[in-house]
Amino acid sequence: MNMDSQPADNRLSPVREPRLPPGQVKTEKWPVLHYGSVPRIELASWELRVDGLVAEPQRWTWEAFQALPRIQVRSDIHCVTRWSRYDNVWEGVSIREVLSRARPLPEARFAIIHAAQGFTTNLPLQELDQDDVLLADRHDEQPLTPEHGWPLRLVVPRRYFWKSAKWISRIELVGRDQPGFWERNGYHNEADPWREERFSDW
Ligand SMILES: Nc1nc2c(c(=O)[nH]1)N[C@H]1C(S)=C(S)[C@@H](COP(=O)(O)O)O[C@H]1N2
Ligand SMILES: [Mo]
């Protein structure tokens, strides 16, 4: 049996009650939303870095990243523009796998996720470092398409979907929070769908 052909680890993101957060509408489709254009990415020059306040900065080529242990997580998407899509099956590498190799320093408290074309988003390290958070390259048994973040996107099920950065290239751990792209442009810093943290007050 080829142990590499199947992710060994299938997880379910906790289902909240009620499942649909306030102000959301369930959809079957999967809309495409982002700022700017879909970047053209070459796998040959692609890399993912984890750096900042870590004991052992990491850097993976596409090939090396593909050799990491893989998981599947089933979770719901909640977009701030009010659509929710249930039961997305994401496949890729657990964030914990990636973070543990970099060994965050005690003073690391926030993560800045860097993506193509200068896009960033920010999360408390505690929110990122969860069992259902992963770096995904597959969705519903298919490779991600370029418009949905191929080759690699972050998936953070407990936050509005803008925190799930597409086309990611770097995870930087820092001591102080720094609002990311949408967070500087009117979206809420915390983005909890059950609290309807859609927009910032300023
Ligand atoms: N790199 C990058 N990632 C991004 C964005 C973006 O503009 N750039 N937009 C976010 C927003 S606002 C949403 S709603 C989701 C949409 O993901 P989807 O197009 O796969 O549905 O991607 C998020 N990730
Ligand atoms: Mo969004």
Side-chain angles (χ1 to χ4, degrees):
M1 196 170 80
N2 179 4
M3 298 296 286
D4 294 335
S5 63
Q6 281 292 317
D9 184 340
N10 290 273
R11 306 177 184 186
L12 187 63
S13 184
V15 176
R16 298 273 297 253
E17 220 22 82
R19 187 168 181 179
L20 193 66
Q24 295 293 110
V25 177
K26 190 171 176 277
T27 176
E28 305 296 326
K29 290 177 303 196
W30 187 13
V32 171
L33 287 162
H34 51 258
Y35 179 78
S37 56
V38 175
R40 262 192 233 170
I41 294 171
E42 299 287 338
L43 287 187
S45 55
W46 182 93
E47 61 175 28
L48 176 69
R49 282 183 288 153
V50 183
D51 60 10
L53 297 176
V54 297
E56 291 183 38
Q58 300 288 318
R59 191 185 274 258
W60 289 277
T61 62
W62 182 251
E63 205 182 7
F65 190 78
Q66 292 300 309
L68 293 174
R70 293 173 70 80
I71 64 167
Q72 263 190 0
V73 183
R74 181 183 298 266
S75 63
D76 298 345
I77 295 173
H78 306 297
C79 177
V80 70
T81 61
R82 299 188 181 272
W83 57 270
S84 290
R85 187 179 189 278
Y86 288 178
D87 290 323
N88 299 272
V89 178
W90 300 102
E91 189 188 310
V93 177
S94 152
I95 193 73
R96 288 185 163 159
E97 184 74 44
V98 160
L99 290 176
S100 67
R101 285 166 193 249
R103 298 207 290 126
L105 298 174
E107 54 273 33
R109 292 193 47 231
F110 297 90
I112 311 301
I113 313 299
H114 297 261
Q117 299 165 343
F119 181 88
T120 57
T121 189
N122 56 310
L123 287 153
L125 186 52
Q126 233 172 272
E127 291 301 329
L128 185 67
D129 191 6
Q130 298 283 334
D131 214 36
D132 55 2
V133 173
L134 80 165
L135 303 173
D137 54 20
R138 294 175 68 81
H139 172 272
D140 287 354
E141 312 290 348
Q142 302 294 327
L144 273 187
T145 56
E147 63 270 25
H148 283 300
W150 180 92
L152 194 69
R153 81 179 296 162
L154 178 66
V155 182
V156 185
R158 298 160 204 240
R159 291 292 177 260
Y160 282 125
F161 205 36
W162 85 77
K163 298 272 188 189
S164 292
K166 307 194 267 194
W167 315 298
I168 74 162
S169 57
R170 178 180 172 210
I171 299 170
E172 181 192 9
L173 300 194
V174 295
R176 272 200 222 157
D177 202 8
Q178 298 167 19
F181 176 81
W182 289 113
E183 293 82 1
R184 285 192 307 273
N185 285 281
Y187 285 3
H188 199 286
N189 199 50
E190 310 302 328
D192 181 342
W194 283 272
R195 296 178 166 209
E196 280 212 81
E197 292 171 339
R198 296 176 190 277
F199 306 108
S200 63
D201 297 332
W202 41 271

